[in-house]
Structures are given as C-alpha cells and as structure tokens.
Amino acid sequence: MSTLPPPPGCNVELTERVLVSFLREETHRIGMTRAVLGLSGGIDSALVIELAVRALGPENVLAVAMPYRESHPDSLRLARKSAKHTGVELEVVDISAMADGYLQDNPDLEDKSQEAVRLRRGNVFSRMRMTILYDRSAKLGGLVFGTSNKTELMLGYGTQYGDMASGINPIGDLYKSQVVALSRHLGVPNEIIDRPPSADLWAGQTDEDELGFTYDSIDSLLFRLIDRRESRATLIEQGFQADFIDTISRRVRMNQYKRRPPLIAKVAARTVNLDYRYARDWGT
Amino acid sequence: MDCRVALCQMRPKLGVIDSNLETHHQWLDRAIEAGAQIAVFPELSLTGYFLRDLTQDIAMTLDDPRIDALVQRSKDCSVVFGFVEESRDHRFYNSVIFAEDGKILQVHRKVHLPDYGIFEEGRYFASGDDFEPVESKHGRFGLMICEDAWHVTSGWLHFLNGVDAMLMPVASPARGIDTDEPELSSQKSWRSLTGAQALLFQTWVLRCNRVGFEDGTMFWGGSAFISPFGKAVVEAHGQEEELLIHNIDSESLKRARIQTPLLRDERPHMVRSHLARFLDDPDAERGIQAQDNSPSS
C-alpha cells in the first residue's frame, strides 16, 4: 500500500490557536482554572500538556504518571521529560499495589499468554488510572483533559471509561498524522514523537502491530472515508485495498457504542439526550 | 446615507438572557461613545446559538420588557440585535430587530434555516418569508441572518430594492484546518461570499459574527465592513471580542454604480417571465426541490 494518498495534515498555527482557546474557555466558563492529565510518555498526552500550559499556564496543570511494575521504563522517563519541557509538576502514582491487589484475587487474569486476558488486564490498568485522575481532579478542582485522538476514537482503540474518559478533549478531532504535525510545531521532544506509538499495557505492545495496519494508511483512509465522504469505489481507485477499507469500516461501525453515552430505555415523553436536548455549555 | 456603524463582535452566554442584555447595554455604551449611529450585534445575540430545547424556553414575544429595554436604547443609537421570537400563535423564529428612535422599525425572521451538519435550525425554528428593506433615517438597509446570505436570491432582492448596505448578523462556526490554507475554510468561504455580494450587488456589506465557544465549537469572529467595490476596509482578524467602528458613505455607492452600473442594467422582468415559465413547469419545479440543498454557512 505504498502508493496510497498521504494522511491528512493541518495548518498548525491555526490549529494551535483554536485548541488553546478551546481549553481556556471551556475550562474557565465552568468556574475552573486548573487541569489534570495523565502523562504516559507517548505523543498524545505530550501534545495535550503542551496545549494545556499555553491555555492555563504551567502552574495550573497537574500531570500524573501512573506506571505499573511491568510498564516500559521509557514511559516514565519520557513522561518526566515532557513535564520538564513544559514546566509542569509531575506526580508519580505507582499503580502496582492497587492493580495487583485486584489481579491477585482473580487468578483467571494471570495467564498473559492469552489475548483476552491481556486485554482485560490492560482495561483494568486503564480504568485504575482514570480513577486516580478523577480523584486528583476532585482534590485540586482541576478538569481532566482527554488525550484520545480521532484515529483512536474512530477505531475504538481505547478503553471505555478508562483512557477515553475526560472532561474535555482538545485532540479528539485530530488524526494521528495531525497530532504528529502539531507536536512537532509545539516542540514536543523528538524522542517522544519518533517512539513507536504504544498503549504500553503489556510488554512489547505497539499500536500498529495490534491494529494490523500503519497509522499513515489508516489516517489516509479514515480522512477520506469520514471527513470527505468518499465512496468505496473512489477509494479503491486511489489504491486502497477493498479488504482494508472493509475491515476499517467495520471496525468503525462496531465501536460506535464507545463514542456514545449508554442507551436509555425510552418510556417517558422526554428522555435524556433523545428529546431532552441541551448543550453542555447551557447557562455559561 | 452617511453614517457611523459599530459592529459588536461579542460572546453571548448560552441561554442567559439577563446577562446578555446587560452585555448589550455595555456594548451600546461603548458604541455610542465612539460616535456610532447604528450598532449591529450577531445572530441570536441575546440568547447564544446552539440552543436546542432552550429555543422554546427562552423565546420572547415582541412586547417582552427585555426587548423593549433595547428598543428604548435606540433613541441614542439605532440597534440591530438577535433573539428567539415567539409569535402569538407559538411559532418560534430566529429573528433580528432593527430598532430606531425608541421604536421597532423591522423584525426580520430568518428565511433560510440550516439543518445539516452541525446545524439543527429546521428542527426548532419556523422560517420567515420576506426580505423587505428597512427604511431608516440613516439609509435603506437589507437584513440577512447568516444562512440567508448563502442564497443569492436574498441579496438579489435587496439589490433590486436599492439598499445602501446589507447588515448580516451571523453565528458562523469555525471548521476546516487544511494544511495549505492560511485561514479556516469557513472563514475563507464567508470572506469570498460577502466580498462577491458587495461586488455583485454594489452595496456595503456589514458582516457581524460572534466569538466564543459552545460545546467545543468555536465561532471565528472576523466581522467586517466590505465596501461596494468588494474590499474589506475594516476587518477583525482575531477570534476575540472586538468593537469595530467605521463610516459607511453614499459616495462610495455612487462611484461604484457609475463605474459599473449593474443595478441600472439589471433585467428583473426577464427573470420574472423566465421564473414564471420555470415554476409553471412541474418537472422544472421538482428540479428545484431536488436541488434545494444549502451550502455550508
């Protein structure tokens, strides 16, 4: 698939302006001044912290690194590097004890050779990290900033109520390729940008291995499929394999549930979010 | 028509009319201090834009004391502001009022309601059906609210009515961050659109967009005075609140219309006979229905 059209870029100055204003205004309008975010050592959270300090100032941002004893040591090292680069205080909360407390009581979560077990363990870690971030949010009066990008959201490549949970998310409408472009513009350390993307939920995991395709090819396809509404026939003409298009399209559809709040059984005249419809920014 | 106009590029609070009313008073104070004779506010300036079910909650009838409070201010400075109008038979309109000398001179109900993409106006609002010009002591003005401006017929009707300026209260959301474009694609489209209208219809075009975010969507501001030669003579470049003041004059209109007398040479009767044939042909009318998709605003 070397002849595919390129993944989407963006006007980085313009995007920076919109996203920084977004973070500042959507935080301040609810009477908050601070932000909390999880710093994984990866590019997405490194980008969000760059945006956060520009919006609120480094003194109003708390970064939390939450390693598990099996996490790659580079993850914490690069999280520190990212915090240092932005002048933000980094709190390290080791989740090994709390995670092991649960895992040890559930022997069926021991066998990491099974894919389903690896996935369950990964979800446990992800939701424990969410619990810590939301507790820090309450403690500090800071809003949790999300770090899921558009590629992950479309593919459902994230843990519902785990890393997908946040108060507001500045990068959820940027594909990975745009995250990379904006990160370079904002001076995210190259070591973080060039590191193979990984959820680091188990040793040796990389996103692209797990997804089965490169981010560039996925972003190129998603951008044309979703943003430009190009037809399957047009996509094939541009060099996309039919089974690649179909696999990704199916994955997007299968994960729609992760992008929406839970379904509510309708029985009344007005039902939350169905026909009781108000903006979240109502009254501000 | 020679007058000094203020474009109030402000940020309304979503659904908080009392606060927005206070904000309008403050902006009017500033506009009057700057010598403005007309102050223009953005679309739905008293209410905010993504109202959804708030539409009915915060609607006002024309005799509402909060509307009257602004109408009374027009004794000092004519004022154009936006709100949700509830008619006596409980239809809801996306309206603007042109008030002058303590009276409502005109209520323009938005004719073209966008109901696609991020817009849901067709779900909540009834459509207006008129583009009557406003006969103000300062000149003859054509009101168009946001999507109205995307339909060439709106501007054309104002053109035939010989308006001096088109006043456009707008709530245009930011979108489109293409690599090789220096500005948002929505901004670029609006600048082309309003520049072309000023040229084609040889009027001043005054575009007043709001700023701020609602549920993650930014309104990009960029309010502007565009001369009858199609040039943006004053333009807000930022996405921040800004009061823009400029004089609009008859002499520019006259020069533009002498240089290229488009209004003199327009042939509305030809359009009428063509349109009559077209509308009488059932196949052709179906063509209009099928193609009645609005462009992005």
Side-chain angles (χ1 to χ4, degrees):
Chain A
M1 291 201 273
S2 55
T3 56
L4 292 181
C10 62
N11 176 329
V12 287
E13 286 91 8
L14 190 57
T15 307
E16 175 191 353
R17 267 209 309 281
V18 174
L19 301 186
V20 168
S21 304
F22 162 80
L23 289 176
R24 188 181 296 134
E25 187 166 329
E26 297 288 13
T27 303
H28 288 167
R29 74 188 309 153
I30 52 170
M32 296 180 112
T33 53
R34 294 199 226 172
V36 174
L37 76 146
L39 217 48
S40 67
I43 188 172
D44 298 309
S45 56
L47 172 58
V48 173
I49 198 170
E50 296 286 345
L51 294 166
V53 296
R54 284 163 176 79
L56 305 178
E59 68 283 6
N60 288 314
V61 179
L62 173 70
V64 190
M66 294 166 283
Y68 178 65
R69 56 187 170 76
E70 292 173 0
S71 301
H72 196 288
D74 274 357
S75 296
L76 182 57
R77 184 175 63 79
L78 292 174
R80 286 193 200 284
K81 192 166 182 170
S82 184
K84 190 171 172 200
H85 184 257
T86 50
V88 165
E89 182 194 344
L90 180 72
E91 186 187 6
V92 180
V93 180
D94 191 309
I95 65 166
S96 304
M98 73 187 273
D100 286 343
Y102 178 73
L103 294 175
Q104 281 158 15
D105 287 345
N106 291 273
D108 63 329
L109 281 168
E110 268 170 30
D111 181 6
K112 287 180 278 177
S113 67
Q114 293 179 47
E115 193 188 332
V117 170
R118 285 204 302 271
L119 204 60
R120 280 179 62 201
R121 288 169 63 97
N123 284 335
V124 167
F125 300 147
S126 183
R127 294 190 179 110
M128 284 186 174
R129 292 180 175 127
M130 177 277 296
T131 305
I132 292 164
L133 288 179
Y134 272 83
D135 180 55
R136 288 299 183 276
S137 160
K139 181 177 166 184
L140 293 169
L143 193 58
V144 176
F145 283 4
T147 60
S148 299
N149 63 54
K150 190 171 187 173
T151 311
E152 292 172 340
L153 291 175
M154 294 318 304
L155 298 178
Y157 189 59
T159 300
Q160 200 181 20
Y161 310 115
D163 57 288
M164 290 177 84
S166 69
I168 57 174
N169 176 354
I171 63 166
D173 208 15
L174 297 183
Y175 290 108
K176 193 79 172 184
S177 55
Q178 296 169 315
V179 165
V180 170
L182 188 57
S183 296
R184 289 206 193 283
H185 168 67
L186 295 181
V188 169
N190 282 332
E191 200 183 349
I192 296 176
I193 296 176
D194 297 332
R195 187 185 184 205
S198 167
D200 196 19
L201 295 173
W202 58 85
Q205 180 191 22
T206 70
D207 293 1
E208 291 186 339
D209 278 353
E210 207 179 352
L211 293 167
F213 304 101
T214 64
Y215 268 119
D216 275 359
S217 64
I218 295 170
D219 285 352
S220 178
L221 175 64
L222 287 176
F223 175 67
R224 283 164 180 80
L225 199 61
I226 291 160
D227 297 60
R228 297 169 62 120
R229 295 173 185 259
E230 290 182 9
S231 70
R232 191 170 178 276
T234 306
L235 292 166
I236 288 171
E237 267 173 40
Q238 290 176 78
F240 293 99
Q241 303 280 342
D243 61 343
F244 175 52
I245 300 169
D246 296 341
T247 303
I248 295 293
S249 301
R250 181 170 177 278
R251 182 158 183 161
V252 169
R253 175 177 61 78
M254 296 292 285
N255 283 288
Q256 174 66 2
Y257 78 96
K258 285 191 179 178
R259 294 184 289 267
R260 302 285 303 164
L263 296 184
I264 293 173
K266 183 170 177 64
V267 289
R270 290 183 85 192
T271 306
V272 169
N273 288 337
L274 278 179
D275 39 22
Y276 177 81
R277 305 169 82 247
Y278 289 84
R280 205 174 92 168
D281 284 338
W282 175 13
T284 65
Chain B
M1 184 226 38
D2 288 287
C3 64
R4 194 165 172 81
V5 182
L7 301 183
C8 305
Q9 181 172 294
M10 45 88 77
R11 171 193 278 111
K13 285 189 176 176
L14 186 58
V16 195
I17 292 181
D18 289 346
S19 166
N20 292 330
L21 181 59
E22 182 54 36
T23 307
H24 279 65
H25 281 302
Q26 289 162 5
W27 283 81
L28 277 171
D29 291 343
R30 291 172 59 197
I32 291 165
E33 197 179 314
Q37 294 159 295
I38 304 176
V40 181
F41 287 87
E43 177 180 16
L44 292 171
S45 58
L46 270 179
T47 63
Y49 183 73
F50 286 112
L51 292 164
R52 299 188 165 182
D53 286 6
L54 277 168
T55 304
Q56 294 94 3
D57 300 348
I58 51 81
M60 291 181 277
T61 51
L62 290 177
D63 57 0
D64 191 289
R66 293 167 295 183
I67 286 181
D68 192 53
L70 285 179
V71 173
Q72 291 310 313
R73 288 300 302 270
S74 71
K75 288 172 181 166
D76 302 319
C77 171
S78 304
V79 54
V80 179
F81 61 94
F83 66 108
V84 179
E85 179 200 353
E86 181 174 356
S87 65
R88 58 160 296 285
D89 51 2
H90 311 296
R91 280 182 279 183
F92 299 88
Y93 295 93
N94 180 340
S95 294
V96 296
I97 280 178
F98 190 114
E100 192 164 277
D101 294 331
K103 296 189 188 75
I104 295 176
L105 279 195
Q106 195 188 89
V107 180
H108 172 63
R109 295 169 167 174
K110 188 173 184 176
V111 173
H112 298 291
L113 301 170
D115 207 31
Y116 55 85
I118 56 174
F119 304 106
E120 304 180 299
E121 291 185 39
R123 176 184 169 105
Y124 291 104
F125 292 115
S127 314
D129 55 8
D130 207 357
F131 286 104
E132 271 300 302
V134 183
E135 300 292 350
S136 152
K137 65 185 179 188
H138 299 297
R140 182 179 297 173
F141 300 115
L143 292 170
M144 284 191 264
I145 306 175
C146 209
E147 189 87 355
D148 285 342
W150 283 88
H151 291 262
V152 70
T153 44
S154 319
W156 187 68
L157 291 171
H158 283 317
F159 170 63
L160 292 186
N161 277 314
V163 300
D164 302 321
M166 301 197 200
L167 310 180
M168 295 183 184
V170 166
S172 174
R175 54 211 192 278
I177 46 163
D178 297 338
T179 317
D180 47 359
E181 292 292 345
E183 58 191 349
L184 294 154
S185 48
S186 48
Q187 184 175 14
K188 185 183 173 192
S189 304
W190 267 98
R191 292 176 79 182
S192 308
L193 170 73
T194 46
Q197 279 174 322
L199 272 178
L200 293 173
F201 301 136
Q202 297 186 314
T203 67
W204 284 93
V205 172
L206 276 51
R207 184 179 77 217
C208 186
N209 192 15
R210 56 160 292 180
V211 292
F213 283 78
E214 286 179 4
D215 273 17
T217 297
M218 186 182 91
F219 297 89
W220 54 270
S223 300
F225 290 83
I226 301 147
S227 79
F229 295 94
K231 181 177 162 50
V233 288
V234 177
E235 186 162 20
H237 289 290
Q239 63 206 43
E240 300 303 319
E241 292 190 318
E242 189 174 340
L243 182 70
L244 278 85
I245 305 276
H246 191 67
N247 294 336
I248 57 175
D249 65 333
S250 304
E251 194 187 318
S252 303
L253 289 174
K254 183 173 170 179
R255 284 194 294 118
R257 292 173 190 181
I258 290 171
Q259 184 179 305
T260 320
L262 297 179
L263 183 57
R264 184 198 69 186
D265 296 345
E266 187 65 14
R267 293 288 175 267
H269 294 289
M270 179 199 71
V271 176
R272 181 172 65 182
S273 59
H274 187 87
L275 200 55
R277 286 200 308 276
F278 187 76
L279 293 177
D280 287 343
D281 173 349
D283 290 336
E285 189 174 7
R286 271 201 299 279
I288 285 188
Q289 299 292 343
Q291 290 161 31
D292 190 13
N293 295 320
S294 309
S296 60
S297 71

